[in-house]
Amino acid sequence: MGWGRLGEDQPTSSFLRHVELKYVTNEECMKAEGQYCKNENCIYGTYKNSIQNDDMCATDIDESGNVKDSCYGDSGSPLIV
């Protein structure tokens, strides 16, 4: 849940949104590739060096093949299981 951005370079949401995701093991998550940002510095690559033992990964793919995920501004939002 969160009021994060609606997409890359998009404004934040004006109402609370949610997304349903599936749990992914940390081993699977470390193999994944994507954009990783820390303090506004973004790089593209694997998440191998950014996943810690106490982290939890979650993702899913919609019917069109698009990855479902959170976005900027959603950090710290609750996880409901």
Side-chain angles (χ1 to χ4, degrees), residues 41-57:
N41 296 317
C42 299
I43 59 169
Y44 186 88
T46 65
Y47 295 103
K48 182 177 182 179
N49 296 320
S50 60
I51 305 300
Q52 306 298 311
N53 289 336
D54 58 349
D55 288 337
M56 186 181 117
C57 294

Side-chain angles (χ1 to χ4, degrees), residues 18-75:
H18 78 281
V19 63
E20 293 184 22
L21 303 173
K22 295 178 182 174
Y23 170 74
V24 178
T25 67
N26 284 5
E27 290 77 22
E28 291 175 283
C29 197
M30 284 189 255
K31 294 176 188 174
E33 293 185 9
Q35 186 174 1
Y36 174 74
C37 300
K38 187 171 187 178
N39 299 328
E40 308 256 341
N41 296 317
C42 299
I43 59 169
Y44 186 88
T46 65
Y47 295 103
K48 182 177 182 179
N49 296 320
S50 60
I51 305 300
Q52 306 298 311
N53 289 336
D54 58 349
D55 288 337
M56 186 181 117
C57 294
T59 191
D60 203 359
I61 298 174
D62 68 17
E63 29 322 303
S64 300
N66 299 310
V67 175
K68 294 167 38 175
D69 198 354
S70 60
C71 203
Y72 297 108
D74 289 327
S75 298

